[in-house]
Amino acid sequence: NGFCGQSWCFVDACSCAGLDQPPAMSRYMRSIFYQGRPLYYSYATCGSQDTWTAKKNDIACVNAKTEEACTAAGDNCLWGDTPGGQKCMAWEAGGLCMDLPEVSDWGQSKCPCVGFT
């Protein structure tokens, strides 16, 4: 089975810890945000192998296989530790998440909206 046969879902990258493969930022929905943060997807959280990102999402940080390539990939990418070893990932996937303001377009921080904007 190719990538169409694999399970995946959209995730809050700020809450994804302990995955061998960090989540990737959506290439085709870059203007959609979840609770004020970029939209990410993950195959690993569903127990699947991600074969789509390498072939179809050439701007994803996770495609950079060395620290040098990660640095060159853009300002949103950082090199860091994962349970699967050191890898390139986007800031939110690396845990660099800012707290939401007390009240924002996504509601109150104690009970934020869960939809996409």
Side-chain angles (χ1 to χ4, degrees):
N1 283 347
F3 56 80
C4 288
Q6 300 298 313
S7 297
W8 65 275
C9 65
F10 291 113
V11 297
D12 176 2
C14 294
S15 299
C16 289
L19 296 176
D20 288 344
Q21 182 66 29
M25 190 182 299
S26 176
R27 176 186 177 104
Y28 297 108
M29 294 188 249
R30 295 183 72 81
S31 63
I32 296 176
F33 293 85
Y34 173 74
Q35 296 181 357
R37 297 183 179 114
L39 186 61
Y40 285 78
Y41 62 89
S42 173
Y43 285 81
T45 198
C46 297
S48 294
Q49 180 72 28
D50 181 0
T51 57
W52 189 86
T53 301
K55 294 177 184 172
K56 302 288 185 178
N57 190 356
D58 58 340
I59 63 169
C61 298
V62 296
N63 289 331
K65 302 303 180 199
T66 66
E67 187 171 2
E68 292 78 24
C70 184
T71 302
D75 293 340
N76 190 48
C77 301
L78 66 95
W79 189 255
D81 292 321
T82 72
Q86 289 204 317
K87 296 188 177 177
C88 188
M89 64 195 95
W91 283 44
E92 291 85 4
L96 298 176
C97 300
M98 298 182 336
D99 290 332
L100 293 174
E102 190 61 36
V103 177
S104 70
D105 291 341
W106 303 280
Q108 297 181 23
S109 62
K110 291 182 273 186
C111 186
C113 298
V114 296
F116 304 115
T117 60

